[in-house]
Amino acid sequence: MKSIRETFVNNLKYYRKENGLSQEKLSYLVEKSIAYINQIENKDSWPQPEMVDKIAVILGIPSSKLFEERGTPENVKTNFKHRFGVSLEEELLRRIEKDIIEICSLL
């Protein structure tokens, strides 16, 4: 299980990149230094609640999304493997192969 800080940082990075924002651009939008964003993403600093809200608004998501352990595709993949013992990709390939065999048997 990931710590809340690790989950927050993973989600912050994911949604920042998803929005096409560099650390520099995000720092400009939240009116903080690049070093400030870098410290957060490197887990050296923790933002105040008001800053979390401001970042979430800029990213176009509810603040709570930044704390959801299953919020990002990376977290979904990790949780899937942990729960089912195989990667999501392996399971999808297995299901596709099964469906192809089934379809071919109908021809």
Side-chain angles (χ1 to χ4, degrees), residues 3-9 36 39-40 43-49 51-52 66-67:
S3 71
I4 193 165
R5 181 170 282 188
E6 189 174 355
T7 298
F8 175 83
V9 167
Y36 176 78
Q39 288 170 342
I40 292 171
K43 301 179 205 138
D44 296 328
S45 182
W46 190 245
Q48 294 294 317
M51 183 54 63
V52 172
L66 292 168
F67 297 96

Side-chain angles (χ1 to χ4, degrees), residues 3-4 14 18 22 24 32 40 43-46 50 56 58 71 78 81 85 87 92-94 97-98 102 106:
S3 71
I4 193 165
Y14 173 78
E18 188 73 11
S22 63
E24 181 179 13
K32 294 287 186 180
I40 292 171
K43 301 179 205 138
D44 296 328
S45 182
W46 190 245
E50 297 80 13
I58 289 165
T78 302
K81 187 162 189 163
S87 72
L92 289 173
L93 286 173
R94 186 191 67 75
E97 183 179 353
K98 180 183 167 222
E102 185 179 323
L106 297 173

Side-chain angles (χ1 to χ4, degrees), residues 14-55:
Y14 173 78
Y15 289 112
R16 176 178 60 76
K17 291 174 183 176
E18 188 73 11
N19 279 275
L21 299 174
S22 63
Q23 286 185 348
E24 181 179 13
K25 183 66 174 174
L26 180 59
S27 68
Y28 172 79
L29 294 170
V30 297
E31 301 170 333
K32 294 287 186 180
S33 68
I34 298 169
Y36 176 78
I37 299 299
N38 187 269
Q39 288 170 342
I40 292 171
E41 290 192 0
N42 286 323
K43 301 179 205 138
D44 296 328
S45 182
W46 190 245
Q48 294 294 317
E50 297 80 13
M51 183 54 63
V52 172
D53 290 340
K54 190 171 188 176
I55 290 170

